[in-house]
Amino acid sequence: GLGKMIWLWPITTAVSLFLLYRQKADWKEFYATEIVFVVGFFYALLWRGAFPDIYPSSERVTDLYFITNYLPGATLPPLDHWLPPQPFNFYYAFQHYAAALMARIFGLDGGTAYNLGFCVLMALSISCSWFFISRFCRKPAAKILVLLAFVVGGTGVSPLVHVLFDEQKLGRRVDLWASMRFTGSYDEFLNTPLANTLFPKQTALPAGFELRDIPAENFSYLMYLGDYHPALGSFFLLMLTLALFAALEPKPNKNTAIKNVPLNSQAVLLIALGATLPAMMITNTWIFPLQGLLLLLWALYRYQSENITQWMALAAGVAGSFLLIFPFLLGFAAQAQNTPIRWVEWQDHTPLLRFILQHWPLMLLCLLGCVQKKTRELAFYLALGMGAMLFFTEFFYADDPSGGKFVRTNSTMKWWGWVYALGVVGVGTMTIASTNKYVRYATVATLLLLCSYSFDLARDWLLAGKQSATKLHGHEWLTRDGTIKDMVRYLRAAPDGVVLESSERGSYSNSTTIALFSAKPSMQGWADHVVTWRGPSAHARAQQEEQLKFYAGEKADALGWLQQNRVRYIIWGGTDQSKKPDARDLIQSQIGSYYQWKSFYENGNTKVGMWILK
């Protein structure tokens, strides 16, 4: 509950300043990390400020919908703004709750919370990674290279993209996407002599068989993509975990002897470390098994080195966090889809050469990390964990409703980028600081090649249109139409109520966007997504058919149907008018006794506006 909380930020700011003052002895280290946070925040803002639109592409609108559910600050679970009066209790949306909480504290709208929340999460990941890197690597150039490989680095395909794809012949750009979605999505665009030699066209495929779509989504790619999706939170929790690993490492004192972290500090750090496991479950459930494996390997490493004495603190962090999220899990478990982990069938594996080309940096870093066992044991365990995870992601997958060429798409899209981050930051930091010069040189070469992706990122940022730059509310693409802008402004100030908008297709349409940017619930969201999340029992597609009949003026008992669904506002746009010019008059005759027409634009027979419950 608690609703809007704008009264809170002066209190939390004062408490924060007091806590920082108490830590003034460590300000030097604190400021170094905070400078990285600020730089990371403004780098993310460079992307979101230039391209802030939240439109029906990828998962932007669905992420805004998740945030909007939490904006009113109602008792959890809140109202589902895409299927009222059902509660929103079916998605791992902890980071969306955090963005909405920020909005409630600072008085932000949902779109601005989306864009600024994106910048905060990315900056937190960057600053936590810097903390880890700085603890094990002393040379500034080496530290910056590891950080850049994480922030702007691509995959093993990135250095070869421009010799595998001739963009001039294609008449289109493929660089940023081809590095991540090389297998299954961009095979048809391979058009250079080298590409034809390495990947000849396969003519002996079984009838109807398609090469599996097996993508990755690295941190750098997500920065470009701009989705406030759970992958961002899982990257932050990974980097927080690595930072806690670093903070718990014994450090040399002035006499070069090794000293352990004080027990009281160790307990706090271990509690926080344990809490990352349940937090991952409600932030990005797909990564939960990988996070568990990472913590297990670290615990084994510390047990072997006998550098930890407070195992109960770690267990308390796990148990306490599970206890805190237990009320959420009760509802979530009942609504969650059954996605068992299954063995990958032979025809669904990544073709060997494509797998090597995409993941050779990880495989090389794994090898380099494993040879560090005698000199730096943590490097060995991180490399072992990263290699085990890479094996796991190739031989197992989460069996979700996708099938055919997309059978592994969701699994690798969630897993591979996370494993890449672990490899680059976790293992790359250790190997670039190795006492073995050949290990160092191999690491530097690998990370530099990964950084070739930065060229394509910079080129995209410079060449892409920036018509909505600085409009962080995210709806400039929609409200550039003055009539829609007036409608959004009106609905924001209007009393709460369910909004009905027409829907042309089941997903990725403009439907519900006026309601979302007005912070109002829609009668129903995108039908395909609702069915995916809630199952066929939601009757979403049947309801969409009823919407189509209503907007055509052909819905039997239209008034009763609206009252049954508690609709207060009915949007009538220009596209609705163009599809069937006489439909508005038919609807008016059906519902005019209970709904009043409010016009926002009229030109001859064309009318744009909304019906409002009297």
Side-chain angles (χ1 to χ4, degrees), residues 181-473:
R181 298 174 176 264
F182 181 66
T183 303
S185 293
Y186 282 81
D187 306 84
E188 62 181 293
F189 302 120
L190 291 163
N191 65 342
T192 65
L194 177 62
N196 293 331
T197 300
L198 293 174
F199 307 104
K201 300 296 182 183
Q202 301 183 47
T203 57
L205 294 175
F209 180 83
E210 296 179 280
L211 191 63
R212 293 334 193 201
D213 188 8
I214 311 175
E217 289 192 348
N218 287 16
F219 186 86
S220 54
Y221 173 78
L222 291 175
M223 186 77 79
Y224 148 77
L225 192 63
D227 287 11
Y228 188 76
H229 218 47
L232 306 188
S234 64
F235 278 118
F236 164 57
L237 288 172
L238 170 61
M239 293 305 149
L240 176 61
T241 300
L242 292 178
L244 290 166
F245 287 174
L248 283 159
E249 279 294 291
K251 293 179 287 187
N253 63 16
K254 294 180 180 178
N255 299 321
T256 70
I258 300 296
K259 64 174 183 178
N260 286 321
V261 179
L263 291 181
N264 57 341
S265 299
Q266 189 180 112
V268 173
L269 293 171
L270 286 168
I271 290 171
L273 184 60
T276 62
L277 186 61
M280 188 67 81
M281 178 176 284
I282 60 174
T283 301
N284 190 354
T285 309
W286 291 78
I287 305 296
F288 178 74
L290 302 185
Q291 178 73 6
L293 177 60
L294 180 62
L295 292 183
L296 181 63
L297 283 168
W298 178 84
L300 179 62
Y301 151 70
R302 293 307 293 262
Y303 179 78
Q304 293 281 85
S305 60
E306 298 180 349
N307 279 326
I308 189 167
T309 58
Q310 300 199 55
W311 292 106
M312 289 304 297
L314 182 65
V318 175
S321 297
F322 266 116
L323 185 63
L324 287 171
I325 68 171
F326 185 70
F328 164 80
L329 290 178
L330 285 177
F332 176 71
Q335 298 292 332
Q337 289 187 347
N338 182 27
T339 53
I341 301 296
R342 300 194 187 280
W343 181 262
V344 174
E345 300 293 336
W346 70 266
Q347 72 272 14
D348 298 326
H349 277 291
T350 313
L352 181 60
L353 184 56
R354 285 177 167 83
F355 182 88
I356 293 173
L357 187 61
Q358 186 135 16
H359 298 303
W360 68 261
L362 292 184
M363 292 187 285
L364 180 57
L365 288 172
C366 181
L367 178 63
L368 296 174
C370 285
V371 302
Q372 300 294 295
K373 189 175 191 305
K374 291 184 179 180
T375 56
R376 185 162 274 173
E377 198 172 6
L378 180 58
F380 170 77
Y381 278 93
L382 289 175
L384 183 66
M386 186 259 289
M389 291 174 192
L390 189 60
F391 175 89
F392 174 82
T393 61
E394 181 56 33
F395 286 89
F396 297 91
Y397 74 102
D399 188 11
D400 65 1
S402 305
K405 68 176 295 185
F406 302 109
V407 66
R408 291 178 61 205
T409 298
N410 266 328
S411 298
T412 60
M413 191 162 53
K414 267 78 170 181
W415 289 341
W416 277 356
W418 196 86
V419 176
Y420 246 100
L422 174 61
V424 169
V425 177
V427 183
T429 297
M430 298 295 187
T431 56
I432 206 170
S434 172
T435 56
N436 185 318
K437 66 178 181 179
Y438 298 108
V439 171
R440 293 200 306 272
Y441 295 162
T443 302
V444 169
T446 300
L447 298 183
L448 284 173
L449 287 170
L450 285 175
C451 286
S452 63
Y453 193 66
S454 62
F455 167 78
D456 297 321
L457 285 169
R459 184 172 69 151
D460 185 272
W461 191 94
L462 290 170
L463 296 180
K466 302 176 182 63
Q467 299 88 343
S468 302
T470 74
K471 309 295 185 181
L472 291 178
H473 49 63

